[in-house]
């Protein structure tokens, strides 16, 4: 069986997966397949179709026309045949040697069924001098993380910003075949949908995984796309939703995943309110800030008698300070976002990969630490 399936959902004809696929195929010895999932009414470029016809590693999986992002991701995983499965968007980049790392994990810690790593966040529309430095972690070890801590981090919003700190899931993370099969046995959502399926997968992976492993070395880079608020397709009696902002969208996903499992949502606490405030404070336009703030405040007043509403006191900051330091700081190397003229995630990763420990080195020595509780 193929060791790794790299799923690439293509939602529109404007998304070109050819550069990512071409880059991955340069690693001729890696044991992976590439699953390109798309709606039946979306056409791939001729060059990509020609490449798929000549490369046995490429699988094209058509979903029904007009399918939602949420269902397209699920369709991609159903088509995947690898021992491990991961998913990235067409504009992202992922380390082709990930197949080596998951094979290493199977040997060193067979109980691990979910792997995560640091992923660079790259905005291709950013302007030089107006963005913060990018951090390359100095640590490249693979460590096991305490599941209880991660559950609190995600579902109780501990130490979160405008979304929980949760690297595990399917998106820019990898899950083992046994875990994927278990998740696919859960009923497919029929009465709700979400524009952020990465959090649906994160919630389910975290709940059902046996053991979690985290690699300090970045293994991918994300071409950041700003969150666009959209009203939920199926309204429920839950006031937080994707029509307000990313924090509301995550809470909505948590609510529905837990509802399907017969468990009430219990994320309403001070940490959650702080995340809502940060989500507001990310807005640099006053009108957008006021609109989002009013929506969150109204939702808090509606939720459980409004007992959390008095805690909601965001502040507007038109200009946010950028961290543009360089060099080693707090266990990370801070570098210029535009190093070597990098414009997007693929170009940035191609450069910083030269600065990071090779995957073969990480997986070739006795570098695996067990029972680590620090994230």
């Amino acid at each position: 069986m193929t060791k790794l399936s790299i799923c690439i959902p293509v939602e529109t004809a404007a998304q070109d997966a050819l550069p990512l696929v071409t880059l991955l195929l340069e690693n001729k010895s890696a044991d992976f397949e590439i699953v390109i999932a798309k709606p039946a009414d979306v056409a791939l470029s001729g060059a990509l179709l020609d490449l798929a016809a000549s490369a046995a590693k490429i699988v094209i999986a058509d979903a029904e026309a007009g399918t939602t992002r949420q269902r397209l991701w699920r369709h991609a995983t159903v088509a995947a045949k690898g021992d491990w499965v991961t998913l990235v968007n067409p504009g992202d980049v992922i380390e082709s040697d990930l197949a080596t790392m998951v094979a290493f994990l199977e040997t060193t810690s067979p109980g691990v069924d979910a792997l995560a790593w640091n992923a660079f966040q790259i905005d291709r529309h950013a302007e030089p001098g107006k963005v913060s430095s990018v951090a390359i972690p100095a640590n490249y070890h693979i460590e096991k993380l305490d599941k209880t801590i991660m559950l609190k981090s995600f579902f109780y919003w501990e130490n979160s910003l405008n979304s929980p700190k949760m690297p595990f899931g399917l998106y820019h993370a990898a899950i083992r075949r046994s875990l994927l099969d278990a998740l696919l046995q859960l009923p497919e959502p029929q009465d709700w949908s979400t524009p952020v399926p990465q959090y649906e997968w994160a919630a389910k992976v975290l709940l059902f995984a046996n053991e979690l492993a985290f690699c300090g070395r970045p293994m991918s880079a994300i071409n950041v796309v700003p969150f666009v608020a959209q009203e939920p397709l199926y309204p429920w009696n839950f006031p937080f939703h994707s029509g307000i902002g990313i924090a509301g969208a995550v809470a909505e996903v948590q609510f529905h995943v837990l509802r399907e499992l017969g468990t009430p949502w219990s994320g309403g606490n001070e940490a959650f309110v702080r995340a809502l405030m940060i989500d507001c404070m990310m807005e640099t336009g006053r009108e957008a800030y006021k609109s989002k703030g009013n929506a969150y405040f109204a939702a808090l007043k509606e939720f459980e008698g409004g007992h959390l509403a008095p805690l909601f006191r965001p502040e507007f900051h038109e200009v946010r300070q950028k961290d543009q330091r360089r060099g080693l700081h707090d266990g990370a190397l801070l570098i210029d976002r535009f190093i070597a003229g990098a414009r997007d995630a693929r170009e940035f990763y191609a450069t910083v990969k030269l600065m990071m420990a090779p995957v073969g080195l990480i997986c070739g020595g006795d570098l695996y630490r067990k029972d680590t509780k620090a994230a």
Side-chain angles (χ1 to χ4, degrees), residues 93 119-123 132-136 218 220-222 333-356:
V93 65
F120 296 116
Q121 309 276 329
I122 303 299
D123 180 1
S132 298
S133 301
V134 177
I136 303 177
S220 61
I222 300 172
L333 176 65
L334 303 183
I335 65 171
D336 183 5
R337 149 70 182 84
F338 296 93
I339 188 170
R343 296 167 297 174
D344 56 20
R346 186 164 51 91
E347 293 180 356
F348 181 85
Y349 192 84
T351 298
V352 299
K353 182 178 180 178
L354 303 174
M355 307 178 186
M356 299 188 295

Side-chain angles (χ1 to χ4, degrees), residues 167-285:
F168 294 94
L170 177 69
Y171 181 63
H172 286 264
I175 56 177
R176 202 165 184 168
R177 167 60 51 182
S178 56
L179 177 55
L180 175 63
D181 288 344
L183 297 182
L184 291 177
Q185 291 300 312
L186 299 174
E188 184 176 2
Q190 299 292 333
D191 58 357
W192 65 281
S193 186
T194 175
V196 287
Q198 61 266 41
Y199 292 104
E200 176 191 359
W201 282 93
K204 293 178 178 178
V205 165
L206 192 54
L207 288 169
F208 287 91
N210 291 317
E211 294 184 9
L212 310 172
F214 181 83
C215 179
R217 180 201 191 273
M219 297 290 289
S220 61
I222 300 172
N223 179 37
V224 176
V225 178
F227 175 79
V228 178
Q230 63 183 60
E231 295 298 327
L233 297 180
Y234 309 100
W236 280 77
N237 186 25
F238 186 70
F240 308 102
H241 54 78
S242 57
I244 306 176
I246 184 62
V250 176
E252 179 185 36
V253 167
Q254 293 174 341
F255 169 79
H256 283 296
V257 169
L258 293 173
R259 175 183 64 84
E260 290 174 340
L261 298 174
T263 302
W265 184 77
S266 56
N269 55 29
E270 293 185 13
F272 174 60
V273 176
R274 180 176 179 272
L276 300 184
M277 291 194 294
I278 293 174
D279 200 11
C280 291
M281 294 166 63
M282 296 293 287
E283 300 289 347
T284 57

Side-chain angles (χ1 to χ4, degrees), residues 274-350:
R274 180 176 179 272
L276 300 184
M277 291 194 294
I278 293 174
D279 200 11
C280 291
M281 294 166 63
M282 296 293 287
E283 300 289 347
T284 57
R286 184 171 293 276
E287 290 305 313
Y289 164 82
K290 289 173 57 178
S291 176
K292 183 180 286 187
N294 289 336
Y296 276 140
F297 186 66
L300 286 168
K301 288 196 297 183
E302 183 181 345
F303 179 69
E304 294 184 346
H307 71 286
L308 292 174
L311 302 177
F312 184 74
R313 295 188 295 271
E315 298 179 357
F316 176 68
H317 297 282
E318 187 173 6
V319 179
R320 294 192 298 273
Q321 186 175 0
K322 306 294 184 183
D323 184 354
Q324 296 181 335
R325 293 176 297 169
R326 300 289 187 268
L328 282 171
H329 297 275
D330 300 323
L333 176 65
L334 303 183
I335 65 171
D336 183 5
R337 149 70 182 84
F338 296 93
I339 188 170
R343 296 167 297 174
D344 56 20
R346 186 164 51 91
E347 293 180 356
F348 181 85
Y349 192 84

Side-chain angles (χ1 to χ4, degrees), residues 23-38:
L23 180 64
L24 290 171
L25 291 178
E26 289 179 0
N27 190 339
K28 300 185 184 303
S29 62
D31 186 8
F32 63 78
E33 67 171 358
I34 301 170
V35 179
I36 301 174
K38 68 178 186 67

Side-chain angles (χ1 to χ4, degrees), residues 41-61:
D41 55 342
V42 170
L44 299 176
S45 68
L48 183 54
L49 290 174
D50 291 342
L51 184 58
S54 62
K57 287 187 174 184
I58 301 177
V59 176
I60 297 179

